[in-house]
Amino acid sequence: MIKGSCLCGQVSYRIAGKVGDIVHCHCSTCRKAHGAAFSSVAAVADADFQLEGAEQLNQFESSPGKHRYFCRQCGTQIYAKRENTSHIILRLGSLDDDPCSQEAMHIWLSDKACWYELHTSLPEHQAFP
């Protein structure tokens, strides 16, 4: 069982299954939502994601059909959900445990902030592959 939570502890979750490959997203929406150079995410099947404190979550539709869920108390991004999918997009910064997943790629480098250089051997994509 993999666990995670928000900064204030009002929202927590457990993952009963596999956490997908890790993707680092450099799009401007992720940068602004997280206040960071990029966001590290992974897919988790809806059926494997057990959320506690859902009433403490707020959400924002950041692009058509994609909702970002975050703690209304401390602002921690927990996950995103695209309409008509069977998985959530877990925000790995909210993990308390090792996801036992591997980094797979960097995406949306066409939107990458200009104030840092990327030094990695992972595949790099200018958009979502």
Side-chain angles (χ1 to χ4, degrees):
M1 189 74 65
I2 298 167
K3 297 177 185 173
S5 61
C6 66
L7 180 61
C8 71
Q10 302 265 334
V11 179
S12 63
Y13 59 85
R14 284 180 269 159
I15 299 168
K18 183 181 181 316
V19 174
D21 288 341
I22 297 169
V23 174
H24 304 294
C25 183
H26 297 261
C27 78
S28 61
T29 306
C30 280
R31 284 190 288 113
K32 289 186 180 282
H34 294 273
F38 56 89
S39 173
S40 299
V41 301
V44 173
D46 289 343
D48 293 337
F49 187 68
Q50 302 163 6
L51 184 65
E52 293 182 24
E55 68 281 358
Q56 297 300 320
L57 290 177
N58 207 344
Q59 65 87 24
F60 175 70
E61 188 172 10
S62 58
S63 56
K66 181 178 181 181
H67 297 264
R68 293 169 179 266
Y69 293 85
F70 54 93
C71 176
R72 68 177 69 223
Q73 179 69 28
C74 66
T76 300
Q77 296 269 334
I78 304 293
Y79 70 97
K81 177 74 175 160
R82 288 190 185 281
E83 293 175 358
N84 304 313
T85 63
S86 59
H87 68 279
I88 57 123
I89 303 165
L90 183 65
R91 305 306 181 176
L92 298 183
S94 67
L95 282 170
D96 296 329
D97 297 328
D98 183 345
C100 301
S101 297
Q102 299 297 313
E103 293 177 295
M105 69 184 86
H106 289 266
I107 62 172
W108 287 108
L109 289 173
S110 60
D111 247 3
K112 183 182 92 50
C114 63
W115 39 263
Y116 70 96
E117 290 297 320
L118 195 60
H119 301 284
T120 179
S121 60
L122 293 175
E124 300 177 7
H125 303 280
Q126 296 301 308
F128 187 80

